[in-house]
Amino acid sequence: MKNCKYRGVVVPMVTPVTEDGMLDVPAVERIIEFFAQNNVAPLLMGTTGEGNSVSASDGLLMVETAVKASKGRILIYAGLTGNCFAEQLRQAEAYTKAGADVIVATLPSYYALTDEQMYGYYKTLADSITGPLMLYNILATTHMTIPVEVVKRLADHPNIVGLKDSERDLERMQQCIAISRDREDFAYFCGWAAQSAYSLSIGGDGIVPSTGNYVPEMFNDLYRAASEGDMTTANRLQDETNEIAKIYQAGRTLGQSLTALKVMMQTKGLCEPWMLMPLTRLSAEEEQSIKSRL
């Protein structure tokens, strides 16, 4: 495995909020401490973090809080979403100034984009911001795929440092890892948690598992085992974490699964299961059912 700066376990962190929708700052501090103790980094305001629903002011507060709580022990990845490019630039620069180490940008998704428009968006963003940029491909929410050839072209940009790919396509995974495998300046992160071990076994640099919000230590162990070539252990941990993921994911929409994940985290005293509109909490009966399975 190459010695790339951007590697390891990056957990797409939930955004803890209070009942009235305000950022729960003490909860952010607790979660960041939990992550740092288990040697995993956070991706703030990604899909698991309700990124599209977080206000600009709360987004900045979240980055500031995470940076301070991390005390330099772990990298801070800050998610960037939205359709207004000017606002995205302002947010990216604010996050970088606040101490975020990497900006992770999802495609604007209101309009269907051509390959050249995708390339132009990321190139212009990378040209315009001062911090390093990571591409974020997630078909499930943007309803678009960043083509492998576009990824290959963007990998040559000096300010684009990697790809976080959540698409469930093994052939695509292999092609994207091939782009990054021999480069120290472009990392591949697997956002398909169920294939974490496999992606590492074929040369991926890191993994981005939402279940890491609840069991970061298991994914740290999985990554370390894969890095050492112990795929028996890595695959065992993959199977075990897949079973844990079913507790909050099985039979639920993506939005419902996120509040179910917060219910699980509540049992560890990390946060409360409140959500940002338009997402909502589960019923009391559903929440109790989840807790009874832990």
Side-chain angles (χ1 to χ4, degrees):
M1 189 172 292
K2 70 190 185 192
N3 187 30
C4 179
K5 176 180 179 181
Y6 306 106
R7 63 183 187 274
V9 184
V10 177
V11 176
M13 179 177 153
V14 302
T15 296
V17 295
T18 59
E19 185 175 2
D20 58 1
M22 302 298 291
L23 185 70
D24 188 341
V25 171
V28 174
E29 295 170 340
R30 288 193 297 272
I31 297 169
I32 292 294
E33 181 61 30
F34 182 50
F35 285 5
Q37 289 181 0
N38 288 287
N39 196 36
V40 304
L43 166 58
L44 308 177
M45 297 168 293
T47 302
T48 304
E50 303 169 77
N52 276 296
S53 302
V54 178
S55 69
S57 58
D58 273 354
L60 180 56
L61 178 58
M62 189 168 185
V63 172
E64 291 171 340
T65 303
V67 169
K68 184 176 180 181
S70 72
K71 301 175 184 175
R73 292 171 291 175
I74 50 178
L75 295 181
I76 303 296
Y77 294 73
L80 192 68
T81 58
N83 293 301
C84 177
F85 190 73
E87 290 180 359
Q88 285 191 304
L89 285 182
R90 283 194 290 272
Q91 285 300 103
E93 290 300 87
Y95 294 162
T96 299
K97 186 176 180 180
D101 296 287
V102 192
I103 300 299
V104 186
T106 306
L107 278 173
S109 58
Y110 188 83
Y111 300 105
L113 304 177
T114 66
D115 292 5
E116 283 305 308
Q117 287 170 335
M118 294 183 199
Y119 174 80
Y121 165 73
Y122 279 117
K123 181 182 183 303
T124 305
L125 185 59
D127 287 342
S128 304
I129 64 176
T130 54
L133 175 67
M134 186 170 286
L135 316 175
Y136 183 176
N137 181 66
I138 178 164
L139 174 63
T141 59
T142 65
H143 309 291
M144 289 181 285
T145 295
I146 307 171
V148 173
E149 283 305 308
V150 173
V151 172
K152 190 172 185 178
R153 291 169 64 192
L154 289 167
D156 290 329
H157 194 290
N159 201 37
I160 295 179
V161 299
L163 166 70
K164 187 253 181 175
D165 202 324
S166 297
E167 192 157 339
R168 299 187 173 198
D169 183 329
L170 288 177
E171 182 178 359
R172 174 188 171 84
M173 177 193 294
Q174 294 159 1
Q175 293 171 338
C176 289
I177 288 177
I179 294 170
S180 72
R181 185 179 293 115
D182 299 322
R183 314 180 52 136
E184 298 294 331
D185 62 345
F186 189 81
Y188 175 89
F189 280 81
C190 177
W192 181 5
Q195 296 296 335
S196 295
Y198 175 71
S199 71
L200 295 169
S201 75
I202 63 171
D205 299 292
I207 54 178
V208 191
S210 61
T211 309
N213 279 280
Y214 182 66
V215 284
E217 70 283 358
M218 293 182 72
F219 286 99
N220 184 46
D221 289 346
L222 187 159
Y223 174 78
R224 186 172 64 249
S227 299
E228 295 170 353
D230 181 4
M231 293 311 300
T232 298
T233 298
N235 287 326
R236 173 180 59 78
L237 288 164
Q238 182 72 78
D239 291 341
E240 291 174 1
T241 55
N242 287 349
E243 289 303 308
I244 293 171
K246 290 177 183 177
I247 297 173
Y248 69 97
Q249 292 176 352
R252 296 188 175 91
T253 65
L254 175 57
Q256 290 172 327
S257 76
L258 302 185
T259 186
L261 177 57
K262 286 184 180 180
V263 170
M264 293 169 66
M265 295 174 71
Q266 184 186 34
T267 67
K268 292 189 174 184
L270 293 168
C271 67
E272 297 295 316
W274 300 108
M275 303 298 288
L276 292 169
M277 289 290 291
L279 300 182
T280 56
R281 285 183 68 159
L282 301 173
S283 68
E285 292 77 16
E286 286 180 283
E287 289 188 5
Q288 187 54 46
S289 175
I290 292 166
K291 292 176 182 178
S292 69
R293 297 178 63 188
L294 300 177

